Amino acid sequence: MAPRKLQIAAAGLGRMGHRHALNFLNRTPRAELVAAFTPDPKEIAWGREHLEPFGVTLYTNYDEMISRPGLDAVVIGTATSVHAEEAIQAMQKNLHVLCEKPLSTSIEVCRQVVDEAKKRPHLKVMCGFSRRFDDSYRDAYSKVEKGLIGRPTILRSQTCDKHDPSGFFVEYAAWSGGVFVDMSVHDIDLTLMFFGETIKPKSISAHGCIAVQPGLAQHKDVDNAVGIVEFWGGQIAYYYCSRMMAHGQEDVTEVIGTEGKLSVNLNPQSSLVNYYSGAGITREVPAHYYGRFEMAFVQEANEFAAACLDNTELPMRLDNAVRAVEIGSWLQEALVTGKQIHFDESGKRSEKASL
Amino acid sequence: MAPRKLQIAAAGLGRMGHRHALNFLNRTPRAELVAAFTPDPKEIAWGREHLEPFGVTLYTNYDEMISRPGLDAVVIGTATSVHAEEAIQAMQKNLHVLCEKPLSTSIEVCRQVVDEAKKRPHLKVMCGFSRRFDDSYRDAYSKVEKGLIGRPTILRSQTCDKHDPSGFFVEYAAWSGGVFVDMSVHDIDLTLMFFGETIKPKSISAHGCIAVQPGLAQHKDVDNAVGIVEFWGGQIAYYYCSRMMAHGQEDVTEVIGTEGKLSVNLNPQSSLVNYYSGAGITREVPAHYYGRFEMAFVQEANEFAAACLDNTELPMRLDNAVRAVEIGSWLQEALVTGKQIHFDESGKRSEKASL
Amino acid sequence: MAPRKLQIAAAGLGRMGHRHALNFLNRTPRAELVAAFTPDPKEIAWGREHLEPFGVTLYTNYDEMISRPGLDAVVIGTATSVHAEEAIQAMQKNLHVLCEKPLSTSIEVCRQVVDEAKKRPHLKVMCGFSRRFDDSYRDAYSKVEKGLIGRPTILRSQTCDKHDPSGFFVEYAAWSGGVFVDMSVHDIDLTLMFFGETIKPKSISAHGCIAVQPGLAQHKDVDNAVGIVEFWGGQIAYYYCSRMMAHGQEDVTEVIGTEGKLSVNLNPQSSLVNYYSGAGITREVPAHYYGRFEMAFVQEANEFAAACLDNTELPMRLDNAVRAVEIGSWLQEALVTGKQIHFDESGKRSEKASL
Amino acid sequence: MAPRKLQIAAAGLGRMGHRHALNFLNRTPRAELVAAFTPDPKEIAWGREHLEPFGVTLYTNYDEMISRPGLDAVVIGTATSVHAEEAIQAMQKNLHVLCEKPLSTSIEVCRQVVDEAKKRPHLKVMCGFSRRFDDSYRDAYSKVEKGLIGRPTILRSQTCDKHDPSGFFVEYAAWSGGVFVDMSVHDIDLTLMFFGETIKPKSISAHGCIAVQPGLAQHKDVDNAVGIVEFWGGQIAYYYCSRMMAHGQEDVTEVIGTEGKLSVNLNPQSSLVNYYSGAGITREVPAHYYGRFEMAFVQEANEFAAACLDNTELPMRLDNAVRAVEIGSWLQEALVTGKQIHFDESGKRSEKASL
């Protein structure tokens, strides 16, 4: 008899949701996508064409879907505003949960998800930070583990999107939580990965500007921002996020240690081709983050399935996802208020800098 | 009802065979691996662990496997010496065939396979040259198609393996057909892809040496070889193949046109990580060709399945595989005899150079 | 009759001074090094061997040297603490002055030099920021001028030295003005170059840590620091300086505009050689800034000589040198106090952030 | 008293000649350019403006110039056809000689120069192969000397010029000796450098085509050629030369050893700038060989001056220059005749391949 496959349902078939659905349908051998939910008629239409013929039942009611007998898990790729609620409902139905990041742009709501998960330790609940599943970041991490760069001390990381002149990001800013929460949260998560999950911020600064999307001003957001987080213990991370790149997606990380340095994706490329012309030698760049991280999402799906089926530890802790959003929110606060934020060694906000 | 999946069987579970089997089992959504054959007890043991639990029936008799009712296709990854025979037998059972390259190291045997396939035009028969399915080569090709480099005129291509001091390649040389047939055949196939499938050799030169594997002398083979093929129409391809690389697999192609140039994998890398240390800045390189071309093999499996199910054209013609081996054999002949080989415009061997 | 050459004297024959002396002696065709001053017996000994035989008179008294009849100019490469005084004295003797950066670590003293120079507009007085003379920075600048990247909006720049375990930099920190004044001053100068010389800071943040040179604590300095300067007009520069690099000098700049981006030296290299070994593919990096910028110093000497002889405009304004040190001092202040600094639009310090 | 400077005269002020003249005038501290010769009125006019004002006497008669009292040396940068004659005449006047490559396109004439030089061992006579003076090639060579790549076994080297549609190269082909003598001679010289000067060809093949300069056919030359030289001792060099590059000068060398590999200029660049735009990431390339090798020519002038003044050994042997042209001529012969050329171990031509 063939080994049991994880019976999984997908919530949301939009930008990110439909990718999760397809990955569980086609590229996760140990899982079987049995159901998908979306309230959106366009997405349902897509599901009729791409999922239903392969045995996936479509639902327009989330609760109905997660009540389906035999279901083991749900992957949540709906709008951020419903992530937390759907995750909690799924746990209450005894389902494992893989939730797109972030759990919520509200720390409090994030914490509710974590609390719910703590009550059900037998469930696997993961908030997917795709870079953790990327071969190159893992290669870098294993080199740090081997001690190749000494003690990691400075981390520079940027998430830079291709400029989208459609106005999409202006609307999106109304509820995205701001650029540090929406974009840099990945870089912050990498900081927790490379500096260690117990690290505590000591002070935070941030500055931003609006260069190409004037409409962002109404949402107190920016299209370019730089922030610094100094940690107790003498480590510093600094971030750049931007939605202004002419050339494509450019997500770069450098980890600088006392005895060496690692860079990840310092020279982005969409293929191994260089084109030589009168203009010089040109290398193309992925247009979007999925072009850079597609295989990381596939890896994520497979590792989640394995952890659920084998009851093994997940590759990342749920409360990290909260930590990352929390630090992102502080950066956003520092950006908006124009004030540096300080923390004492216990982690409490303090008015004064600790020197 | 779910769409029908291609019922496929795998012949051979060795170095290449087991990868094909796993790709059809796990990473080819439209195919279902139902059977696998190998005469080798070690490979059977591997199959018991990795295939049987997933519903794959194991066979130690090839004929028995291909006689299995309901079977649609077979992927052949056995030793080169039996490729042709197994391919022909499969066609005679009305099965589609995906065969590892080369069909045979003998041109005559290759032609028998092609002849058999011509008799059964409803069957999809493909000899997999993995680079044709590689994103980067396809990106380069589409740029050529768009006219970005004018007329492709010079092609430089190399297949260079990491040095393997185990002695494996000395044994292997006994029946591999020689380095040009075994290694450069990929570069020759790329030549047909970029210069066009109807191109005809005008003259061929080759030189080689033994630098690290003295045992190759007994098989009249070498561990480093350089060859040039000049074509009627004024195009030149030149090849380097080697089994001596200290750093890993380095398969590079340059296509130089009258108005531009393309390079593929000029700067090999196994990940997007650079490591900075006292020695400088270091990038690792894949140790083996599968590290470079894994996703191309997956793509090949998927496109083969699609062509079989949808009865659409295969992405490459079977007789190309024969052409590539043929040119490889001539290069090997030029290498061994120390003589330049000439052809007239009709394709016939000629004693004298055409100037 | 051969054209007149600029008669120049060199003050200081130490680390930087001897390089200036040799550049004016050997690589500045329109100048003639006629004299050199140093109070240091070791440096005098070096001058006896390397300068005196070529017609250069050595002095141990600065005033005596600059009083030498026929002298046109002096290049000052002594300790920072005497730069300003020597520059002023030279101007008072009616000499053109090329002074190593910085004029002083004190803004007030810097201003005295500028004031003295303003009184003598016929004199060429330049504080050399070598990167302004570097081919690559000039190439980047000309691309910005051509509008290739739209409006420059974000500038990332780092000055990172190879780790020197000798303790030199701990002593040096006593009077260097701190890492932002000593190292980032180059990056700040580039900011003025790319964003325009009239740009005004709006707010400044900085964070630092001591990772490998504990002795720096006594001088309130650090070995790694990150700072952000936000400008009125919506531009942001952020800097990283470090004395901890394992691999060598790594001075990188990125200028990100509304329509494109430029990077300078993102992939440092000491030659065009790559070494392929079992470790991968390795590129060496210059060990020191002079390895990176040697030809920029030669260019600087030649352009200074030309401006003096032809009475043409210098390639950079003297008061920029003061602006760069000023911004560097503010970054250092923000680092040491742990407080963000704000400025109103007139350039005055303000207690509150302007949002 | 200042040390004596080498009194040198320049013959020829054309494309290459005027660069040598300026390098000895301005960038060779131990030499003094005192005279220059050219029969060409345009070049004389250039000399009046750029050399005469700096004390250089102009001559329209070569013999008169080399008879000038006090002269030590001459640098020959005239047309190739008079190199040898002028070199011999200079030696007969007891002058050191630095001659642009090649001495002649005729081996016999080359040998006359060598013979003349042998009679006057106190004279320094050098035929400048600029790449020997290039930092990167020297870096690669020192790594080979240290044993980093084991025994150098395969050398790939290319000299590729930017396409010049003016027709210049068609005229030039009338007397250039052909592409292998004119262009690949540099790559051959590098082969002697890396494989050792005593290495002997065993067999030679070459193929070429005309892709963009149809006029070359009348001179039996081509605009793209590939050649292989196999050496006794089991080493192979292969060359590509082209005048068809769209992007600029691309002179690349790889030296592949039994334990590692070195590449030189695999990724050509004209500066350290990368430009990011909608097209991707672009790096410009030098348009001409002088853009790549300018500093090597300066280094050559300085080392030649030093060897003359100090009576030390020159960095390269004169008869190498003959060897390089000789091998280039054989490659050209193999190209034109369409026949592989063989040599026995004593270096004699033989009809048959030695296997």
Side-chain angles (χ1 to χ4, degrees):
Chain A
M1 199 191 69
R4 205 173 159 278
K5 292 191 176 193
L6 187 76
Q7 307 293 301
I8 193 165
L13 295 174
R15 196 173 55 133
M16 213 41 239
H18 86 283
R19 289 168 178 156
H20 283 299
L22 289 175
N23 286 344
F24 276 103
L25 180 66
N26 292 329
R27 306 205 275 188
T28 311
R30 300 187 66 190
E32 189 176 348
L33 185 75
V34 294
F37 149 78
T38 172
D40 179 333
K42 265 197 217 154
E43 292 178 18
I44 281 285
W46 180 89
R48 291 230 186 282
E49 189 178 351
H50 295 95
L51 303 180
E52 217 174 48
F54 303 94
V56 180
T57 311
L58 298 180
Y59 294 84
T60 54
N61 180 304
Y62 181 69
D63 187 64
E64 209 178 309
M65 178 177 79
I66 58 174
S67 304
R68 180 189 168 108
L71 195 65
D72 296 316
V74 64
V75 53
I76 299 174
T78 43
T80 298
S81 53
V82 295
H83 283 179
E85 191 188 334
E86 292 176 350
I88 290 171
Q89 289 174 338
M91 286 187 264
Q92 289 168 347
K93 297 281 186 187
N94 210 33
L95 299 176
H96 303 293
V97 175
L98 171 56
C99 184
E100 245 312 288
K101 71 98 203 159
L103 292 174
S104 166
T105 59
S106 147
I107 301 304
E108 210 162 316
V109 175
C110 285
R111 288 210 180 109
Q112 293 167 14
V113 180
V114 175
D115 289 346
E116 192 68 35
K118 276 190 189 149
K119 292 188 218 156
R120 295 172 163 79
H122 65 290
L123 292 181
K124 305 295 170 188
V125 184
M126 183 161 83
C127 180
F129 281 85
S130 47
R131 293 174 205 189
R132 294 252 184 171
F133 300 89
D134 175 65
D135 280 354
S136 294
Y137 279 108
R138 289 185 164 187
D139 181 5
Y141 186 72
S142 81
K143 286 178 165 61
V144 169
E145 291 271 284
K146 278 180 206 152
L148 291 191
I149 64 164
R151 180 175 184 254
T153 302
I154 306 289
L155 184 139
R156 173 174 87 83
S157 198
Q158 69 175 45
T159 296
C160 292
D161 288 355
K162 187 163 187 166
H163 177 44
D164 170 357
S166 72
F168 169 79
F169 281 114
V170 173
E171 280 178 60
Y172 184 68
W175 49 270
S176 73
V179 285
F180 282 118
V181 172
D182 184 48
M183 304 179 78
S184 301
V185 71
H186 288 293
D187 305 295
I188 299 166
D189 178 58
L190 291 169
T191 309
L192 298 174
M193 180 179 174
F194 283 100
F195 282 176
E197 307 188 335
T198 59
I199 202 156
K200 286 181 197 158
K202 183 178 172 190
S203 57
I204 293 179
S205 303
H207 301 254
C209 62
I210 296 177
V212 289
Q213 307 259 16
L216 290 171
Q218 61 186 297
H219 303 301
K220 294 200 173 175
D221 208 358
V222 296
D223 50 25
N224 281 274
V226 182
I228 310 174
V229 182
E230 184 182 335
F231 294 93
W232 285 102
Q235 287 164 302
I236 293 172
Y238 65 114
Y239 310 117
Y240 171 45
C241 56
S242 174
R243 303 210 193 268
M244 190 178 74
M245 297 299 107
H247 52 285
Q249 188 76 18
E250 189 185 353
D251 297 344
V252 178
T253 301
E254 295 185 303
V255 187
I256 306 151
T258 48
E259 291 162 36
K261 171 179 147 176
L262 295 162
S263 67
V264 180
N265 198 33
L266 195 61
N267 296 291
Q269 57 184 31
S270 58
S271 81
L272 300 169
V273 173
N274 279 282
Y275 166 50
Y276 298 55
S277 72
I281 305 174
T282 300
R283 189 174 75 244
E284 293 175 1
V285 173
H288 299 294
Y289 74 96
Y290 204 65
R292 166 68 182 88
F293 290 110
E294 180 174 354
M295 295 312 294
F297 283 98
V298 173
Q299 186 66 19
E300 180 186 76
N302 281 277
E303 296 191 11
F304 175 73
C308 294
L309 290 167
D310 305 339
N311 192 20
T312 52
E313 217 173 323
L314 285 164
M316 56 181 298
R317 291 168 49 188
L318 184 62
D319 47 6
N320 262 346
V322 185
R323 293 279 288 157
V325 172
E326 191 174 44
I327 294 175
S329 302
W330 288 328
L331 280 159
Q332 197 73 17
E333 177 190 333
L335 170 73
V336 171
T337 61
K339 281 188 194 155
Q340 198 162 313
I341 302 176
H342 302 280
F343 303 85
D344 65 22
E345 247 174 298
S346 74
K348 277 194 209 135
R349 291 283 285 263
S350 94
E351 281 313 297
K352 290 201 300 181
S354 304
L355 303 177
Chain B
M1 199 191 76
R4 206 176 157 275
K5 293 190 175 194
L6 186 78
Q7 307 293 302
I8 193 165
L13 296 174
R15 195 173 55 132
M16 213 42 239
H18 87 283
R19 288 168 178 157
H20 283 300
L22 289 176
N23 285 344
F24 277 104
L25 179 64
N26 291 328
R27 305 204 277 186
T28 311
R30 299 187 66 189
E32 189 175 347
L33 185 76
V34 294
F37 150 78
T38 172
D40 180 331
K42 265 197 216 154
E43 293 178 16
I44 281 286
W46 180 89
R48 290 230 186 283
E49 187 178 354
H50 294 94
L51 303 180
E52 218 174 45
F54 303 94
V56 181
T57 311
L58 298 180
Y59 294 84
T60 53
N61 180 305
Y62 180 70
D63 187 63
E64 205 178 311
M65 178 177 78
I66 59 175
S67 306
R68 179 190 168 108
L71 197 63
D72 297 314
V74 66
V75 53
I76 299 174
T78 43
T80 298
S81 53
V82 295
H83 282 178
E85 188 189 337
E86 291 176 349
I88 290 170
Q89 290 174 338
M91 287 186 265
Q92 290 168 347
K93 298 279 186 188
N94 208 36
L95 299 177
H96 305 293
V97 175
L98 171 57
C99 184
E100 244 314 287
K101 69 97 203 165
L103 292 172
S104 164
T105 59
S106 147
I107 302 302
E108 209 162 317
V109 175
C110 284
R111 289 211 179 107
Q112 293 167 15
V113 180
V114 174
D115 290 346
E116 191 67 33
K118 276 189 190 151
K119 291 188 219 157
R120 296 173 163 80
H122 65 291
L123 292 181
K124 306 296 168 188
V125 184
M126 184 162 83
C127 180
F129 280 85
S130 46
R131 292 173 208 191
R132 295 253 184 171
F133 300 88
D134 175 64
D135 280 351
S136 294
Y137 278 109
R138 288 183 164 187
D139 180 7
Y141 185 72
S142 79
K143 286 178 165 62
V144 169
E145 290 272 283
K146 280 180 205 153
L148 292 191
I149 66 164
R151 179 177 186 255
T153 303
I154 306 290
L155 185 140
R156 171 174 89 83
S157 200
Q158 70 175 43
T159 297
C160 291
D161 288 354
K162 186 160 187 167
H163 176 45
D164 169 357
S166 71
F168 169 79
F169 281 112
V170 173
E171 281 178 62
Y172 183 68
W175 49 271
S176 74
V179 284
F180 282 119
V181 172
D182 183 48
M183 304 179 78
S184 301
V185 72
H186 288 291
D187 306 296
I188 298 166
D189 177 59
L190 292 169
T191 309
L192 299 173
M193 178 180 177
F194 283 100
F195 283 174
E197 306 189 336
T198 60
I199 201 156
K200 287 182 193 158
K202 183 180 173 190
S203 58
I204 292 179
S205 303
H207 301 256
C209 62
I210 295 176
V212 288
Q213 307 260 16
L216 290 170
Q218 63 186 297
H219 302 300
K220 295 201 174 176
D221 208 357
V222 296
D223 49 25
N224 283 273
V226 183
I228 310 175
V229 182
E230 185 183 335
F231 294 94
W232 285 101
Q235 289 166 300
I236 293 171
Y238 65 112
Y239 309 117
Y240 171 45
C241 57
S242 175
R243 301 208 194 270
M244 189 177 75
M245 297 299 108
H247 52 285
Q249 188 76 17
E250 189 184 355
D251 297 345
V252 178
T253 301
E254 294 185 304
V255 187
I256 303 151
T258 49
E259 294 163 33
K261 171 179 149 176
L262 293 162
S263 67
V264 181
N265 198 35
L266 194 61
N267 295 292
Q269 57 185 31
S270 58
S271 81
L272 300 169
V273 173
N274 278 281
Y275 166 50
Y276 298 56
S277 71
I281 304 174
T282 300
R283 191 174 73 245
E284 293 176 2
V285 173
H288 300 295
Y289 75 98
Y290 204 65
R292 166 68 182 87
F293 291 110
E294 179 174 355
M295 294 313 294
F297 283 98
V298 172
Q299 186 66 18
E300 181 185 74
N302 280 277
E303 296 191 13
F304 175 73
C308 294
L309 290 168
D310 305 338
N311 192 20
T312 51
E313 216 173 322
L314 285 166
M316 57 181 297
R317 291 169 46 190
L318 184 62
D319 49 6
N320 261 346
V322 185
R323 292 277 287 155
V325 173
E326 192 174 43
I327 295 175
S329 300
W330 288 328
L331 279 160
Q332 197 74 19
E333 177 189 332
L335 170 74
V336 171
T337 62
K339 280 188 195 155
Q340 200 162 311
I341 303 176
H342 301 278
F343 304 85
D344 66 22
E345 245 172 302
S346 74
K348 275 194 209 137
R349 292 282 287 258
S350 98
E351 281 312 298
K352 288 200 305 182
S354 305
L355 301 177
Chain C
M1 199 191 71
R4 207 177 156 273
K5 292 190 174 192
L6 186 78
Q7 307 292 302
I8 193 167
L13 296 174
R15 196 175 54 133
M16 215 39 241
H18 87 282
R19 288 169 179 158
H20 283 298
L22 289 175
N23 285 345
F24 277 103
L25 180 66
N26 291 328
R27 305 205 276 187
T28 312
R30 299 187 66 190
E32 190 176 346
L33 184 76
V34 295
F37 150 77
T38 174
D40 178 331
K42 265 197 215 153
E43 293 179 17
I44 280 287
W46 180 88
R48 291 231 185 283
E49 187 179 352
H50 294 96
L51 303 179
E52 217 173 48
F54 304 94
V56 180
T57 311
L58 299 179
Y59 293 84
T60 54
N61 180 305
Y62 181 69
D63 186 64
E64 207 179 310
M65 178 177 80
I66 60 175
S67 305
R68 179 189 167 110
L71 196 65
D72 295 317
V74 65
V75 53
I76 298 174
T78 43
T80 297
S81 54
V82 295
H83 283 179
E85 188 189 337
E86 290 176 353
I88 290 172
Q89 289 174 339
M91 286 187 262
Q92 289 168 347
K93 296 282 187 187
N94 209 35
L95 299 175
H96 303 295
V97 175
L98 171 56
C99 185
E100 244 313 290
K101 70 97 206 167
L103 292 173
S104 166
T105 59
S106 148
I107 302 302
E108 209 164 318
V109 175
C110 284
R111 289 210 180 109
Q112 292 167 15
V113 179
V114 175
D115 290 345
E116 192 67 34
K118 277 190 189 150
K119 291 188 216 156
R120 295 173 164 80
H122 66 290
L123 291 181
K124 305 297 170 189
V125 183
M126 184 161 83
C127 180
F129 280 85
S130 46
R131 291 172 208 191
R132 294 252 186 172
F133 300 88
D134 175 63
D135 280 353
S136 294
Y137 279 110
R138 287 182 165 189
D139 181 5
Y141 185 73
S142 79
K143 287 178 165 61
V144 169
E145 291 271 285
K146 278 179 207 154
L148 292 190
I149 64 164
R151 178 175 186 255
T153 302
I154 306 290
L155 185 140
R156 174 175 85 85
S157 199
Q158 70 175 44
T159 296
C160 293
D161 289 356
K162 188 162 184 165
H163 177 44
D164 170 359
S166 72
F168 169 79
F169 281 112
V170 174
E171 281 179 58
Y172 183 68
W175 48 270
S176 72
V179 284
F180 282 118
V181 173
D182 184 47
M183 304 179 79
S184 301
V185 72
H186 288 292
D187 306 295
I188 299 166
D189 178 58
L190 292 168
T191 309
L192 298 173
M193 180 179 175
F194 283 100
F195 281 175
E197 305 187 336
T198 59
I199 201 156
K200 284 181 196 157
K202 183 178 171 190
S203 58
I204 292 179
S205 303
H207 300 255
C209 63
I210 295 177
V212 288
Q213 307 260 13
L216 290 171
Q218 62 187 297
H219 302 300
K220 295 199 173 175
D221 209 358
V222 296
D223 49 26
N224 282 275
V226 181
I228 310 175
V229 182
E230 184 183 336
F231 294 94
W232 284 101
Q235 289 163 302
I236 294 172
Y238 65 111
Y239 310 117
Y240 172 44
C241 56
S242 174
R243 304 208 192 272
M244 191 177 76
M245 298 298 108
H247 52 284
Q249 189 76 20
E250 189 184 354
D251 297 346
V252 178
T253 301
E254 294 185 302
V255 187
I256 304 149
T258 48
E259 294 163 33
K261 171 180 148 175
L262 294 161
S263 68
V264 180
N265 198 36
L266 195 61
N267 295 291
Q269 56 183 32
S270 58
S271 82
L272 301 168
V273 172
N274 278 282
Y275 166 50
Y276 297 55
S277 71
I281 305 175
T282 301
R283 191 172 76 247
E284 294 175 2
V285 174
H288 300 294
Y289 75 98
Y290 204 66
R292 166 67 183 88
F293 290 110
E294 179 175 355
M295 294 313 293
F297 283 98
V298 172
Q299 187 66 16
E300 178 186 76
N302 280 276
E303 296 191 13
F304 176 73
C308 294
L309 290 167
D310 305 339
N311 192 21
T312 52
E313 217 172 322
L314 286 165
M316 57 181 297
R317 291 168 49 190
L318 185 61
D319 47 8
N320 263 346
V322 184
R323 293 276 287 155
V325 173
E326 193 174 41
I327 294 174
S329 301
W330 287 328
L331 280 159
Q332 197 73 20
E333 179 190 329
L335 170 72
V336 171
T337 62
K339 282 189 195 155
Q340 199 162 313
I341 303 177
H342 302 281
F343 303 85
D344 65 22
E345 248 175 297
S346 75
K348 275 194 210 134
R349 293 281 285 261
S350 94
E351 282 311 299
K352 290 201 302 183
S354 305
L355 302 178
Chain D
M1 201 190 70
R4 204 173 159 278
K5 291 187 173 195
L6 187 78
Q7 306 292 302
I8 193 165
L13 296 175
R15 195 173 56 132
M16 212 43 238
H18 87 283
R19 288 168 178 159
H20 284 299
L22 289 175
N23 284 345
F24 276 105
L25 180 66
N26 292 326
R27 304 205 277 187
T28 312
R30 299 186 66 188
E32 189 175 348
L33 184 76
V34 295
F37 149 79
T38 174
D40 178 331
K42 264 197 219 155
E43 293 179 16
I44 280 287
W46 181 89
R48 291 229 186 284
E49 189 179 350
H50 293 96
L51 303 179
E52 218 174 46
F54 304 93
V56 179
T57 311
L58 298 178
Y59 294 83
T60 54
N61 180 303
Y62 180 70
D63 187 64
E64 206 178 311
M65 178 178 80
I66 59 174
S67 306
R68 178 189 169 110
L71 196 65
D72 296 317
V74 65
V75 54
I76 299 173
T78 44
T80 298
S81 53
V82 294
H83 282 177
E85 188 189 336
E86 291 176 351
I88 291 171
Q89 289 173 339
M91 286 187 263
Q92 289 167 348
K93 296 282 187 185
N94 209 34
L95 299 176
H96 304 294
V97 175
L98 171 57
C99 185
E100 243 315 286
K101 72 98 203 165
L103 292 172
S104 165
T105 59
S106 147
I107 302 302
E108 209 163 318
V109 176
C110 284
R111 289 211 178 107
Q112 292 167 15
V113 181
V114 175
D115 290 345
E116 192 66 34
K118 276 191 187 148
K119 293 189 217 155
R120 295 171 164 81
H122 65 290
L123 291 180
K124 304 297 168 189
V125 184
M126 184 161 83
C127 180
F129 281 85
S130 46
R131 292 174 208 191
R132 294 252 185 173
F133 300 89
D134 175 65
D135 280 353
S136 294
Y137 279 109
R138 288 184 165 187
D139 180 6
Y141 185 72
S142 80
K143 286 178 166 60
V144 169
E145 290 272 284
K146 279 180 206 154
L148 291 190
I149 64 163
R151 179 175 185 254
T153 302
I154 306 290
L155 185 139
R156 173 174 87 84
S157 199
Q158 69 175 44
T159 297
C160 292
D161 288 355
K162 187 161 185 165
H163 177 44
D164 170 358
S166 71
F168 169 79
F169 281 113
V170 174
E171 282 179 59
Y172 183 69
W175 49 270
S176 74
V179 285
F180 282 119
V181 173
D182 184 47
M183 303 179 79
S184 301
V185 71
H186 288 291
D187 305 297
I188 300 166
D189 177 58
L190 291 169
T191 310
L192 299 174
M193 180 178 173
F194 283 99
F195 282 175
E197 306 187 336
T198 59
I199 201 154
K200 286 182 195 158
K202 183 178 171 190
S203 58
I204 291 179
S205 302
H207 300 257
C209 64
I210 296 177
V212 288
Q213 308 259 14
L216 290 170
Q218 64 186 295
H219 302 301
K220 295 198 174 176
D221 208 359
V222 295
D223 50 24
N224 281 275
V226 182
I228 310 174
V229 182
E230 184 183 335
F231 294 93
W232 284 102
Q235 288 164 303
I236 293 172
Y238 66 113
Y239 309 117
Y240 171 44
C241 56
S242 175
R243 302 208 193 271
M244 190 177 73
M245 297 299 109
H247 52 284
Q249 188 77 19
E250 190 184 353
D251 298 345
V252 178
T253 301
E254 293 185 303
V255 187
I256 304 150
T258 48
E259 293 163 34
K261 171 179 148 174
L262 294 161
S263 67
V264 181
N265 197 35
L266 194 62
N267 295 291
Q269 57 183 31
S270 59
S271 81
L272 300 170
V273 172
N274 278 283
Y275 166 49
Y276 297 56
S277 72
I281 304 175
T282 301
R283 190 174 74 244
E284 294 175 1
V285 173
H288 301 294
Y289 75 98
Y290 204 65
R292 165 68 181 88
F293 290 111
E294 179 174 354
M295 295 312 295
F297 283 98
V298 171
Q299 186 66 18
E300 179 186 77
N302 280 276
E303 296 192 11
F304 176 73
C308 294
L309 291 167
D310 305 339
N311 194 19
T312 51
E313 217 173 323
L314 285 165
M316 55 181 298
R317 291 170 47 190
L318 185 61
D319 47 7
N320 263 346
V322 185
R323 293 277 288 155
V325 172
E326 193 173 42
I327 294 174
S329 302
W330 288 328
L331 280 160
Q332 197 73 19
E333 178 190 331
L335 170 73
V336 171
T337 61
K339 280 188 195 156
Q340 198 162 313
I341 303 176
H342 301 280
F343 303 86
D344 66 21
E345 246 174 300
S346 75
K348 274 194 211 135
R349 292 281 285 258
S350 95
E351 282 313 296
K352 290 201 302 183
S354 306
L355 300 178

